[in-house]
């Protein structure tokens, strides 16, 4: 079994708490830091195993005393306060923290963080990501949530309804993985199947598909057919 990873989350705001909830569901070790003790105490009780610490992240000595460099990942979530965000990142870099992910308020904030040496994929603008996901879901005929997206690919789920591929192997259905798409997994009757080209497709199978944007609609038609989806 893989070891649990430890994460430090700065900011007991909606974004930080959402990150903490996801990591907590995956049984990781999490500590939330926030300068506002009242706010921290208000929200920390919703978690069973997440620890809260009152701390000013712009104070480098306080970070060092809390062993911040020992965490597997550090996530800075208070993007609304650009000054505090930048000072916190500078402190983390000075203390040798390597795996830093930062919520940015806007493109200007992001450019500053990149100039400090953070990698492109470590700086997150939530509104931009959400906007891309909504646009992609609207553009493509997808009945499920878009779980991950970049400029070229989407990762989503498509349910098997098309009669032409039911009870056929992935190979015979013409759905063998290639440079344009890959069937990552199949969910069937509550179980997850890791498919190969010989896996037989059943009606109602939910295919986890990672695909280029320009082939998604074709895949939906091929896998789901013209089946209407009840909202």
């Amino acid at each position: 079994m893989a070891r649990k990873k430890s994460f430090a989350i700065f900011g007991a705001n909606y974004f930080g708490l959402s990150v903490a909830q996801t990591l907590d569901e995956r049984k990781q070790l999490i500590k939330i830091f926030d300068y506002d003790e009242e706010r921290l105490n208000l929200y920390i009780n919703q978690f069973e195993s997440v620890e809260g610490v009152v701390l000013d992240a712009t104070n480098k000595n306080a970070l060092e005393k809390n062993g911040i460099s020992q965490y597997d990942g550090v996530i800075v979530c208070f993007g609304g306060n650009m000054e505090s965000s930048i000072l916190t990142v500078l402190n983390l870099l000075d203390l040798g923290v390597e795996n830093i992910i930062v919520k940015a308020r806007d493109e200007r904030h992001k450019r500053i963080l990149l100039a400090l040496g953070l990698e492109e994929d470590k700086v997150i603008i939530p509104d931009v990501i959400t906007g891309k996901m909504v646009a992609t879901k609207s553009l493509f005929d997808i009945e499920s949530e878009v779980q991950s997206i970049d400029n070229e690919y989407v990762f989503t789920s498509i349910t098997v309804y098309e009669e032409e591929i039911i009870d056929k192997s992935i190979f015979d259905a013409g759905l063998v993985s290639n440079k344009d798409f890959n069937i990552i997994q199949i969910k069937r009757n509550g179980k997850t199947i890791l498919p190969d080209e010989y896996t037989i497709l059943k009606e109602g199978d939910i295919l986890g598909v990672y695909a280029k944007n320009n082939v998604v609609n074709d895949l939906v038609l091929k896998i789901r057919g013209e089946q209407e989806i009840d909202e």
Side-chain angles (χ1 to χ4, degrees):
M1 181 181 295
R3 74 174 182 87
K4 291 184 178 180
K5 291 186 177 182
S6 59
F7 294 91
I9 297 175
F10 289 99
N13 53 25
Y14 181 79
F15 183 77
L17 294 169
S18 296
V19 173
Q21 181 178 4
T22 301
L23 292 172
D24 189 41
E25 289 171 353
R26 287 160 175 73
K27 310 300 182 183
Q28 302 304 300
L29 302 173
I30 309 147
K31 190 174 288 187
I32 300 178
F33 298 87
D34 197 287
Y35 70 90
D36 189 329
E37 182 175 5
E38 183 177 352
R39 179 171 59 189
L40 188 62
N41 290 336
L42 177 64
Y43 292 112
I44 202 69
N45 292 329
Q46 67 183 272
F47 302 101
E48 292 185 2
S49 57
V50 176
E51 185 179 350
V53 176
V54 179
L55 180 142
D56 179 2
T58 64
N59 185 327
K60 184 163 66 174
N61 290 332
L63 292 174
E64 188 172 20
K65 288 179 181 179
N66 277 271
I68 201 64
S69 61
Q70 304 302 312
Y71 288 87
D72 294 302
V74 176
I75 306 168
V76 181
C77 300
F78 37 77
N81 189 328
M82 188 184 301
E83 182 179 358
S84 294
S85 172
I86 293 169
L87 287 174
T88 298
V89 171
L90 285 171
N91 287 338
L92 294 172
L93 292 172
D94 285 346
L95 293 171
V97 178
E98 295 182 356
N99 188 17
I100 307 171
I101 298 175
V102 186
K103 172 190 175 184
R105 184 176 69 185
D106 50 32
E107 287 294 339
R108 176 170 172 264
H109 188 186
K110 180 177 180 177
R111 287 198 301 270
I112 294 172
L113 294 170
L114 294 177
L116 296 179
L118 297 185
E119 297 178 6
E120 177 86 20
D121 63 347
K122 299 296 185 180
V123 181
I124 308 299
I125 305 178
D127 287 347
V128 173
I129 293 176
T130 302
K132 286 183 178 180
M133 292 174 68
V134 171
T136 300
K137 185 174 176 62
S138 301
L139 179 63
F140 303 118
D141 191 14
I142 297 173
E143 71 268 18
S144 65
E145 293 299 320
V146 178
Q147 298 173 344
S148 177
I149 183 170
D150 59 22
N151 290 331
E152 191 175 4
Y153 289 88
V154 295
F155 178 52
T156 190
S157 301
I158 308 172
T159 304
V160 175
Y161 289 121
E162 172 54 50
E163 293 181 358
E164 292 296 321
I165 68 170
I166 292 173
D167 293 328
K168 288 186 178 180
S169 69
I170 287 178
F171 178 84
D172 290 335
L175 292 170
V176 175
S177 298
N178 56 46
K179 62 182 178 62
D180 291 329
F181 70 88
N182 188 9
I183 299 176
I184 305 297
Q185 65 180 22
I186 299 175
K187 291 186 178 180
R188 178 185 298 165
N189 299 325
K191 296 182 179 180
T192 299
I193 300 170
L194 299 180
D196 57 29
E197 62 185 28
Y198 303 108
T199 301
I200 302 298
L201 298 171
K202 298 294 183 181
E203 184 175 5
D205 281 353
I206 302 174
L207 309 187
V209 178
Y210 183 68
K212 281 187 176 181
N213 292 334
N214 60 359
V215 303
V216 172
N217 275 339
D218 289 339
L219 282 174
V220 170
L221 186 61
K222 190 176 186 66
I223 295 169
R224 198 185 75 190
E226 299 294 339
Q227 176 77 21
E228 291 294 331
I229 301 299
D230 294 329
E231 298 294 340

